[in-house]
């Protein structure tokens, strides 16, 4: 039995990506990467000055429609600065999904605040909005314009939805719930460059949004991130805070608050510019790969692939298989078989509620996310891996 499902899955992957070993998500450098990097070296502008930083920011602003974009050194840094600017302070609580990369929870912790763990839904693994709505109605109350957790007496200042593997969460209803409870919304759009909800780029719905350009993301700057906002003042504050809060002056060093050294070096921005120029082709490749996998898995009982939600356009960052409940115990066999054949395949992250470091955090009960995470796995997703097959 166990042999059967895993070998059918391996056969399906092979029919799409061929027989050679493939990684989970590898960067693709087939554009102007080398020439832009060379320009940085030749001009000596490798660090905090240089034209690629502004250019990368304006590429991102144009593509996402976000009025203000601040390039920073990582997606985690983008989240941290956004939370600080949303007013998250020590002993506040910030709602985060159980299914996310640890950076979401860490950024909350850097503010001295407590992550408060919310359940995720079956379909796309995003925040379960109807469940959140009931939960907030039962467990919180408004006190002088802020949302207070009745169980801990702490203020719930913000919520950070995450668009899992690039699939947009239900932003419409989530914004309404957040608004009704006076909770600020910051989007963790780290995985979702190229994803749109009702025609608008994700990361542009809340007060601020965070993107990541880590090595395995849709596009990479080596390491890097960006803060998105439509609010001019927040945009300026984000820039200031992420550049050590230095007061602009040709030679003087003056810093008017405690800032962070979170700027993105010109070298990394140069890589980002070259990658942005190829974004549309990466996205087209990923969408085609999804279609091929879907065809290959069709008719295999006991599993499904995550698809973009209605009214959304997903970037299909990581292709994801969900095993049906009765096949949950097969997951490790599938992982072993696929990896043995050279197809890098991984379980999704351990849910935040299962991490020892976040064991003390407030959370919903009966988290569906736990069983869900135990049935999900990511299969090879790099753009173009299906190209010369067949
Ligand atoms: C990649 C990622 C981040 C940010 O990661 P960095 O490595 O700091 O750029 C944050 N949240 C999620 C959900 C991510 O996948």
């Amino acid at each position: 039995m166990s042999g059967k499902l895993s070998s059918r899955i391996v056969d399906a992957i092979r029919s799409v990506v061929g027989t050679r070993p493939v990684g989970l998500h590898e960067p693709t450098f087939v554009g102007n990467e080398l020439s832009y990097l060379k320009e940085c070296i030749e001009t000596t502008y490798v660090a905090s000055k240089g034209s690629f930083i502004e250019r990368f920011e304006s590429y991102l602003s144009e593509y996402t429609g976000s009025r203000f974009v601040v390039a920073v050194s990582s997606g985690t840094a983008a989240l941290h600065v956004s939370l600080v600017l949303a007013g998250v302070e020590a002993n506040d609580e910030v709602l985060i999904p159980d299914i996310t990369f640890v950076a979401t929870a860490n950024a909350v912790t850097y503010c001295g605040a407590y992550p408060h763990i919310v359940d995720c839904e079956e379909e796309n693994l995003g925040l379960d909005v109807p469940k959140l709505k009931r939960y907030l109605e039962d467990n919180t109350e408004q006190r002088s314009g802020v949302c207070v957790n009745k169980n801990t007496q702490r203020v719930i200042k913000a919520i950070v939805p995450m668009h899992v593997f690039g699939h947009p969460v239900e932003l419409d209803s989530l914004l309404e719930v957040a608004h009704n409870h006076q909770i600020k919304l910051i989007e963790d759009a780290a995985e979702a460059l190229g994803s749109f909800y009702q025609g608008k780029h994700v990361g542009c719905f809340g007060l601020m949004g965070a993107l990541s350009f880590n090595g395995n993301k849709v596009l990479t700057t080596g390491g890097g991130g960006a803060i998105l906002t439509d609010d001019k003042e927040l945009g300026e504050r984000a820039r200031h805070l992420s550049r050590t809060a230095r007061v602009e002056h040709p030679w003087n060093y003056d810093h008017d608050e405690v800032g962070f050294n979170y700027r993105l070096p010109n070298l990394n921005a140069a890589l980002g510019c070259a990658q942005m120029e190829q974004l549309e082709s990466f996205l087209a490749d990923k969408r085609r790969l999804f279609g091929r996998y879907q065809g290959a898995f069709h008719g295999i009982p006991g599993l499904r692939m995550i698809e973009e939600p209605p009214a959304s356009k997903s970037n299909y960052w990581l292709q994801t298989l969900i095993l049906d409940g009765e096949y949950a115990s097969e997951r490790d066999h599938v992982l072993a078989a696929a990896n043995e054949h050279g197809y890098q395949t991984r379980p999704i992250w351990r849910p935040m509620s299962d991490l020892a470091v976040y064991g003390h955090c407030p959370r919903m009960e009966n988290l569906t996310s736990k069983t869900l995470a135990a049935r999900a796995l990511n299969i090879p997703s790099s753009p173009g891996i299906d190209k010369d097959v067949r």
Side-chain angles (χ1 to χ4, degrees):
M1 184 64 209
S2 70
K4 208 165 160 216
L5 183 66
S6 55
S7 61
R8 288 188 78 173
I9 290 177
V10 169
D11 287 347
I13 296 175
R14 183 185 298 111
S15 74
V16 174
V17 308
T19 51
R20 72 194 187 295
V22 282
L24 184 68
H25 201 289
E26 283 161 7
T28 306
F29 301 123
V30 293
N32 289 318
E33 286 86 357
L34 262 184
S35 88
Y36 291 173
L37 289 173
K38 192 158 172 270
E39 188 178 325
C40 294
I41 307 273
E42 285 172 355
T43 59
T44 76
Y45 286 122
V46 294
S48 57
K49 289 202 179 103
S51 60
F52 286 114
I53 300 168
E54 238 174 75
R55 187 162 146 197
F56 185 47
E57 289 175 340
S58 63
Y59 276 178
L60 288 168
S61 170
E62 199 177 306
Y63 182 79
T64 61
S66 179
R67 287 183 64 207
F68 303 94
V69 175
V70 180
V72 291
S73 54
S74 70
T76 310
L79 283 171
H80 183 197
V81 171
S82 299
L83 289 170
V84 168
L85 292 178
V88 174
E89 292 172 338
N91 293 317
D92 284 340
E93 290 180 10
V94 175
L95 299 163
I96 63 158
D98 197 19
I99 295 183
T100 188
F101 176 60
V102 71
T104 322
N106 287 348
V108 172
T109 310
Y110 300 160
C111 299
Y114 293 85
H116 183 150
I117 297 165
V118 175
D119 206 3
C120 297
E121 46 83 24
E122 284 268 346
E123 213 45 40
N124 295 94
L125 312 184
L127 266 175
D128 186 331
V129 182
K131 190 168 175 183
L132 172 70
K133 183 170 186 282
R134 292 191 300 274
Y135 179 77
L136 290 176
E137 283 163 5
D138 293 347
N139 292 281
T140 69
E141 62 191 21
Q142 291 292 312
R143 282 186 213 152
S144 39
V146 293
C147 179
V148 177
N149 179 342
K150 289 194 283 189
N151 308 311
T152 61
Q153 302 301 316
R154 293 190 290 245
V155 174
I156 300 181
K157 193 65 74 62
I159 182 162
V160 189
M162 198 277 273
H163 307 293
V164 185
F165 307 131
H167 303 292
V169 303
E170 249 182 79
L171 282 160
D172 247 2
S173 49
L174 181 58
L175 277 165
E176 191 185 316
V177 171
H179 177 80
N180 288 344
H181 290 271
Q182 314 258 31
I183 296 172
K184 289 176 178 159
L185 191 141
I186 305 285
E187 288 173 80
D188 183 342
E191 309 182 349
L193 178 65
S195 296
F196 295 80
Y197 179 78
Q198 296 178 357
K200 181 170 161 180
H201 199 282
V202 299
C204 300
F205 286 82
L207 191 64
M208 312 185 89
L211 298 175
S212 167
F213 314 115
N214 185 33
N216 60 355
K217 295 283 157 67
V218 167
L219 67 75
T220 186
T221 58
I227 301 164
L228 309 180
T229 183
D230 280 339
D231 182 305
K232 184 163 189 278
E233 195 188 324
L234 285 175
E236 283 167 0
R237 292 271 298 126
R239 185 170 301 280
H240 189 62
L241 263 189
S242 58
R243 284 148 178 72
T244 66
R246 183 169 173 196
V247 182
E248 275 210 49
H249 189 277
W251 52 81
N252 285 340
Y253 282 94
D254 188 17
H255 305 263
D256 60 6
E257 61 189 306
V258 180
F260 306 105
N261 178 16
Y262 281 169
R263 37 174 202 80
L264 183 74
N266 196 47
L267 205 53
N268 302 77
L271 201 54
C273 288
Q275 291 267 287
M276 271 306 279
E277 293 163 1
Q278 302 162 78
L279 179 59
E280 294 296 355
S281 97
F282 293 162
L283 294 174
D285 280 354
K286 297 175 81 62
R287 180 166 291 271
R288 187 193 60 237
L289 180 64
F290 168 74
R292 291 205 175 151
Y293 272 138
Q294 209 185 26
F297 289 121
H298 186 78
I300 303 180
L303 57 82
R304 69 181 178 92
M305 284 193 81
I306 295 192
E307 274 181 72
E308 68 192 348
S312 289
K313 187 163 184 264
S314 173
N315 67 0
Y316 282 107
W317 172 49
L318 288 186
Q319 312 287 348
T320 311
L321 284 178
I322 309 278
L323 303 182
D324 293 349
E326 66 266 36
Y327 289 90
S329 60
E330 298 289 304
R331 192 198 55 178
D332 290 348
H333 298 293
V334 177
L335 286 168
N339 285 295
E340 203 168 287
H341 283 81
Y343 305 130
Q344 194 181 17
T345 296
R346 282 197 200 150
I348 71 167
W349 318 276
R350 179 180 280 232
M352 297 302 104
S353 59
D354 273 354
L355 292 181
V357 277
Y358 290 118
H360 61 288
C361 291
R363 70 195 55 187
M364 285 182 176
E365 279 173 18
N366 305 318
L367 296 164
T368 321
S369 44
K370 287 198 191 214
T371 52
L372 198 52
R375 295 188 278 120
L377 46 119
N378 295 125
I379 57 177
S381 305
S382 314
I385 44 172
D386 55 333
K387 258 180 187 154
D388 304 312
V389 180
R390 274 175 293 193

